[in-house]
Amino acid sequence: MDGLAHQFIAGIATGGIYASVALALVMIYQATHHVNFAQGEMATFSTFIALTLIQAGLPYWVAFVLTVVVSFALGVAIERVLMRPVQHAPVLTHVGVFIGLLLIVGNLTGWVFGYTTKVFPSPFESEGLLFGGLVSGHELGSTVVTLAVLLLVYLFFRHTTLGLAMRAAAYNPASSRLVGIRVGWMLALGWGLAAAVGAVAGMMVAPVVFLDPTMMLGILLYAFAGALLGGIDNPMGAVVGGFAVGVLENLAGAYVVGTELKLTVALAIIIGVLVVRPSGLFGRVVLSRV
Amino acid sequence: MSATEEVPAVPVLVQAPPRSAMATWQRGALVLLGLAAALAPIFVLESFQLFQLTMAVIMALAVLGLNIVTGYNGQISLGHGAFYAVGAYATAILMSHGDWSFWATLPVSAAVCAGLGYAVGFPALRLGGLYLALTTFSLAVAVPQILKHRAIEDWTGGVQGLFLVKPDPPSWLPLDADQWMYLVALGVSAVLFLLSWNLIRSRVGRALMAIRDNPTAAEAMGMDTATLKTRAFAVSAMVTGIAGSLGAVVIEFVAPDSFGFGVSISLFVGMVVGGVASIAGSIFGGLFVLFVPNIAEEISKAAPGVIYGAILILFLFLLPDGFAGLLRRLAARWRDRAAR
Amino acid sequence: MAALLEAEGLTAGYGQTAVLHGLDFAVEERGVTALLGANGAGKTTTLRAVCGMIRTGGAVRLAGERIDGRATEEIARRGVAHVPDGRGTFMELTVEENMRLGAYTRPNRAEVDADFERVFGYFPRLRQRFRQQAGTLSGGEQQMLAISRALLLRPRLLLLDEPSFGLAPLVVQEIFAIMRRIREEQGVGILLVEQNASLALDFADQAYLLETGRIVVSGPAADIRRDESVRRSYLGY
């Protein structure tokens, strides 16, 4: 029974990571109606930046904040340089640019930081397990951080003028311009935020799965699955979906298929959701952009 | 009212320039020239270079498959590496476990891949461009894991993969195995290219493109878009799968990790760079996929992927119709000048 | 003193098709100028051209300063509020959020809150609907919301695209009555596009009559209203 409870809680901890990445995906989806295939690679790159800063002697949380800021700036820059010129191009072009971005960022990571697997520190080191062996310090800490980030993002979108303007720009760009919103910058800001949230996810997951250039590939898949499960146009849905997928994955891994088919579980969830309920659990009906 | 006079004139319909009526002998000469160019490498190239060229031909075929469904029918697939892998494994399993001859495995591989393509095409019907891209992307990432799985290890050889042996050339031909494989790949590809070319120029081909450009109108005109789209997926998977079969036997080895999502990405990049919705573009795509990573590696040993990605983005920005489109435009300009 | 808005040789079009063929018109400070004409004459296009939503030629000046060629959001920030064709409601957002967006460019929260009250004075119904999703409003309420959103920008110039469109006659009367008040109390210039010529001519000082992208008649609204032949041949009432 303890085993099951621990699997469940561990699932929540990884689910938090999926939820963050899913949220990043949904933010870009809401702003641009595209899914950023390079989101995982960007997060990995950010995590390597964090590791470099920590190894240079900075305290963990200073490195953490710096990494988030740098990632935000990189996200904005990528939107300005790569996405803006093709904003009116067909979907195929966007997918192509995302793939190009994935290749560039993914390989740049290996090129700059090396291909060896590295240990990434956790700020929540604790001796053994807490609460009678149910949860490790890192699991608890990373879940709290993830929830805090999600809460911040929620507050930002719900209760600040800038957040409101970003939502407006996503829903109705033409009307947004008429009230003076600089729509192009809102998109860039969305990219920046997504990159920052992705960076946090990367730093939280790296102590568990170890850091290497392909660290996020599987996580991205689970995040896709979570985003789709919750409804790709619904940030809260994406978060719930992310947590659900995390628990599902852990339970399936422990009791049903074993760890060898983890990615296939994600694929199955994605196909299942798309076939059975394409709008996800909480989403509005999906309009396909063919 | 004076206003009516200045209503912009209806644009004069420009008549398309008549297709240059090539004399039969000219065509014949061209075909012969092409044939000679295609066969010359057998006698000119070293065996490793010939092997590379063989792989380029095979990649061109695989890109062609992708082009049928993505380029011509607008269903974005980022997972065609999966069909390539299934084709390769079908041939490898039949040859190493069943001692089948290579030729006998081809129809089986084609059928299996077509069936799988059909199966993927069904859920794809319900997915708009982006969701399909996402799903097929996931498929591409998951493929090696599925291939490694214990349940099918007896057949697939698990992580170790399977070894197989190139077919011997017929005894009446004075060729070695590599030269013969080049001929085989070239022949099979040529047949499939011709068939695809005919398909695209037929009523079905026009329907596929109509569905891509305006699905609502296509449906309103009475096209059975669902059937056409799933069949396009099946044909596309079949062509790429056959390329996989050829690839397996040329390399004489299949293993899960050589079919990671890198293959799918390569095919996608090849399609974009060669020319989306272009038969000839697929050939350039194949050459690109095989040779450019090597060249890129010479520029920078560490990160050919970076250059690969940069080239992809550059093409999307500057030459969205790919190399084939560039050639077409250059040819048009040359014709214009010649006509003047 | 220069007019609030001056257009000189304004041209515009969509893609290859030219729609406006060189318009000259003006809106005075605190004045109301009406653009009249049949469907397809280019009225909506003119408003879009003024606030930079489409590519234009010629010159557009706001209080003497060139605004042509600038981005729509920059023109809005200079005090041009546009109530677009179709009303431009943010359907997914609440009435409150729609109004907050209207005041997006204004930093002073206290002033904005005061303006909220002023707008509620014109349209008390919006106060009742404050927390409701804007997509659930009736057509008339959405029109009110659109005008409110525009007013909250504290505009110098208000562009109104067919405020009567699709509304019941009584609602139209109500909205025009309120617009008269707005005009007197807010000190904005208004460029009004209207199919309902009699309504528009009652409201406006100046009027221009458009036909296939050209101005065919212009002058004080009162004169045009009295001109039997213009009324018969162009306005159809």
Side-chain angles (χ1 to χ4, degrees):
Chain A
M1 199 55 218
D2 260 13
L4 181 64
H6 182 252
Q7 288 300 339
F8 192 84
I9 288 168
I12 296 225
T14 36
I17 308 298
Y18 301 153
S20 311
V21 180
L23 182 70
L25 291 171
V26 167
M27 276 197 293
I28 289 195
Y29 181 84
Q30 279 206 309
T32 61
H33 286 269
H34 291 125
V35 170
N36 182 4
F37 291 95
Q39 197 77 61
E41 264 63 22
M42 286 164 60
T44 309
F45 191 81
S46 299
T47 312
F48 269 104
I49 293 178
L51 184 66
T52 311
L53 292 175
I54 291 168
Q55 284 172 343
L58 288 177
Y60 181 90
W61 291 109
V62 175
F64 181 94
V65 171
L66 268 178
T67 301
V68 169
V69 171
V70 169
S71 306
F72 177 87
L74 284 177
V76 169
I78 286 173
E79 197 281 338
R80 293 278 98 175
V81 176
L82 290 183
M83 297 316 293
R84 204 174 150 74
V86 292
Q87 56 183 336
H88 301 299
V91 183
L92 183 64
T93 307
H94 292 127
V95 171
V97 173
F98 286 134
I99 294 299
L101 189 60
L102 180 147
L103 287 169
I104 293 176
V105 178
N107 288 289
L108 205 60
T109 309
W111 191 0
V112 176
F113 301 107
Y115 294 91
T116 50
T117 304
K118 295 185 172 65
V119 176
F120 191 87
S122 165
F124 312 108
E125 294 304 347
S126 68
E127 302 292 319
L129 300 172
L130 307 171
F131 302 114
L134 276 183
V135 59
S136 76
H138 181 75
E139 280 168 352
L140 186 65
S142 72
T143 308
V144 169
V145 168
T146 308
L147 287 174
V149 167
L150 299 178
L151 184 69
L152 274 178
V153 169
Y154 174 80
L155 291 177
F156 171 76
F157 276 111
R158 282 290 140 186
H159 295 289
T160 68
T161 308
L162 195 57
L164 175 61
M166 284 179 68
R167 283 190 288 149
Y171 287 134
N172 194 337
S175 284
S176 300
R177 290 199 174 88
L178 291 179
V179 296
I181 295 170
R182 294 181 170 122
V183 171
W185 278 105
M186 296 300 128
L187 297 186
L189 215 55
W191 271 77
L193 276 180
V197 171
V200 174
M203 287 184 279
M204 288 301 117
V205 78
V208 183
V209 300
F210 299 109
L211 182 56
D212 79 84
T214 59
M215 171 182 85
M216 291 298 273
L217 195 56
I219 291 167
L220 183 74
L221 233 53
Y222 273 101
F224 277 151
L228 285 173
L229 185 63
I232 190 134
D233 54 1
N234 182 332
M236 280 300 124
V239 170
V240 175
F243 278 110
V245 166
V247 172
L248 212 64
E249 176 222 354
N250 253 43
L251 294 182
Y255 301 111
V256 189
V257 293
T259 49
E260 296 160 28
L261 281 181
K262 278 196 160 189
L263 292 174
T264 316
V265 172
L267 176 66
I269 294 174
I270 290 174
I271 293 179
V273 171
L274 288 174
V275 169
V276 177
R277 193 178 162 84
S279 57
L281 294 177
F282 310 104
R284 284 171 297 156
V285 174
V286 176
L287 297 173
S288 60
R289 288 162 52 107
V290 184
Chain B
M1 257 172 286
S2 66
T4 47
E5 286 168 18
E6 281 166 59
V7 165
V10 177
V12 181
L13 288 174
V14 182
Q15 266 196 328
R19 274 197 167 278
S20 48
M22 232 188 265
T24 321
W25 70 268
Q26 275 175 319
R27 267 177 205 229
L30 252 161
V31 168
L32 278 180
L33 210 67
L35 212 59
L39 294 181
I42 295 183
F43 309 104
V44 180
L45 293 181
E46 301 282 323
S47 113
F48 179 68
Q49 292 167 324
L50 192 63
F51 162 78
Q52 282 196 313
L53 194 63
T54 310
M55 284 311 294
V57 170
I58 291 168
M59 283 297 131
L61 186 61
V63 171
L64 173 72
L66 177 60
N67 232 330
I68 290 173
V69 78
T70 300
Y72 287 102
N73 195 217
Q75 305 189 70
I76 303 175
S77 168
L78 292 176
H80 256 51
F83 302 121
Y84 186 88
V86 169
Y89 264 91
T91 290
I93 289 170
L94 290 173
M95 283 180 77
S96 68
H97 289 289
D99 278 332
W100 288 38
S101 87
F102 169 67
W103 291 105
T105 70
L106 273 189
V108 179
S109 160
V112 168
C113 290
L116 187 65
Y118 204 70
V120 173
F122 258 110
L125 282 178
R126 303 192 49 173
L127 314 176
L130 186 71
Y131 292 91
L132 182 58
L134 203 156
T135 311
T136 48
F137 178 82
S138 316
L139 177 67
V141 174
V143 160
Q145 220 183 38
I146 298 173
L147 289 176
K148 277 180 213 166
H149 195 254
R150 259 176 297 136
I152 49 172
E153 209 169 28
D154 287 346
W155 292 100
T156 59
V159 186
Q160 309 298 321
L162 293 170
F163 289 89
L164 51 160
V165 180
K166 273 182 200 142
D168 285 326
S171 50
W172 48 268
L173 269 175
L175 298 172
D176 66 24
D178 290 330
Q179 292 168 326
W180 172 238
M181 266 332 290
Y182 173 73
L183 267 189
V184 168
L186 196 67
V188 172
S189 302
V191 169
L192 287 171
F193 265 87
L194 265 178
L195 289 176
S196 306
W197 191 65
N198 274 327
L199 177 77
I200 292 308
R201 286 165 54 92
S202 71
R203 240 171 66 88
V204 175
R206 286 195 300 275
L208 291 182
M209 288 182 262
I211 291 168
R212 170 194 67 191
D213 296 334
N214 195 335
T216 318
E219 195 141 354
M221 283 163 68
M223 292 176 193
D224 184 353
T225 55
T227 307
L228 281 164
K229 281 169 89 169
T230 42
R231 287 195 184 160
F233 229 111
V235 170
S236 161
M238 184 189 78
V239 172
T240 301
I242 292 176
S245 291
L246 287 166
V249 78
V250 168
I251 296 178
E252 303 188 287
F253 175 58
V254 294
D257 286 322
S258 38
F259 300 109
F261 87 119
V263 179
S264 299
I265 300 298
S266 287
L267 296 181
F268 183 83
V269 176
M271 179 186 69
V272 170
V273 169
V276 175
S278 160
I279 298 274
S282 306
I283 299 175
F284 301 128
L287 292 168
F288 177 89
V289 166
L290 200 86
F291 291 109
V292 170
N294 296 347
I295 299 167
E297 208 154 315
E298 270 168 35
I299 300 170
S300 143
K301 275 253 182 292
V306 175
I307 291 168
Y308 215 53
I311 290 177
L312 172 63
I313 289 180
L314 275 181
F315 264 83
L316 288 167
F317 277 28
L318 305 175
L319 287 173
D321 51 359
F323 196 65
L326 177 71
L327 283 189
R328 215 174 305 139
R329 264 175 289 148
L330 285 179
R333 191 178 298 175
W334 182 77
R335 260 203 311 273
D336 276 0
R337 205 166 290 169
R340 232 172 263 160
Chain C
M1 197 189 131
L4 175 60
L5 179 80
E6 271 180 317
E8 211 181 294
L10 179 65
T11 61
Y14 301 99
Q16 298 286 316
T17 323
V19 176
L20 305 181
H21 306 277
L23 308 187
D24 300 306
F25 60 90
V27 180
E28 299 300 325
E29 291 278 358
R30 295 168 168 269
V32 176
T33 295
L35 294 175
L36 307 175
N39 268 339
K43 305 182 303 279
T44 294
T45 305
T46 308
L47 294 193
R48 288 190 182 153
V50 167
C51 62
M53 292 168 83
I54 48 177
R55 210 196 290 271
T56 61
V60 181
R61 288 188 198 83
L62 182 70
E65 186 199 0
R66 289 284 291 259
I67 56 169
D68 50 273
R70 290 190 185 278
T72 305
E73 49 265 47
E74 303 308 323
I75 293 173
R77 281 159 182 263
R78 281 174 167 70
V80 177
H82 184 170
V83 177
D85 156 47
R87 302 176 190 124
T89 311
F90 297 94
M91 302 287 187
E92 298 85 350
L93 304 178
T94 65
V95 169
E96 176 185 9
E97 289 171 326
N98 267 271
M99 289 172 66
R100 290 241 170 268
L101 285 170
Y104 172 71
T105 51
R106 297 171 52 195
N108 188 329
R109 189 78 183 237
E111 266 179 42
V112 171
D113 286 343
D115 277 3
F116 266 50
E117 288 307 314
R118 193 167 315 167
V119 164
F120 288 144
Y122 297 130
F123 304 111
R125 233 182 298 175
L126 292 182
R127 198 199 295 272
Q128 298 159 19
R129 303 267 185 262
F130 200 48
R131 306 247 174 241
Q132 207 168 312
Q133 197 187 324
T136 63
L137 298 185
S138 71
E141 288 166 341
Q142 283 194 35
Q143 191 62 56
M144 293 173 191
L145 179 58
I147 295 172
S148 306
R149 209 174 51 230
L151 286 178
L152 285 163
L153 186 81
R154 270 283 173 95
R156 287 194 277 179
L157 175 67
L158 190 57
L159 310 179
L160 289 172
D161 199 343
E162 302 233 19
S164 74
F165 185 81
L167 301 184
L170 270 177
V171 180
V172 174
Q173 292 299 331
E174 189 188 339
I175 285 181
F176 269 84
I178 292 166
M179 288 202 315
R180 269 175 230 281
R181 275 178 63 196
I182 290 172
R183 173 194 181 181
E184 278 153 30
E185 296 168 14
Q186 303 284 318
V188 293
I190 296 176
L191 180 58
L192 169 73
V193 156
E194 215 7 289
Q195 289 243 32
N196 186 336
S198 111
L199 204 60
L201 288 172
D202 273 346
F203 182 46
D205 319 313
Q206 291 286 319
Y208 296 83
L209 217 148
L210 258 65
E211 198 176 65
T212 56
R214 284 185 182 74
I215 290 169
V216 285
V217 176
S218 67
D223 294 357
I224 291 180
R225 203 146 52 98
R226 275 193 297 272
D227 188 326
E228 191 84 8
S229 68
V230 170
R231 244 172 59 185
R232 285 254 172 82
S233 41
Y234 293 110
L235 306 178
Y237 72 92

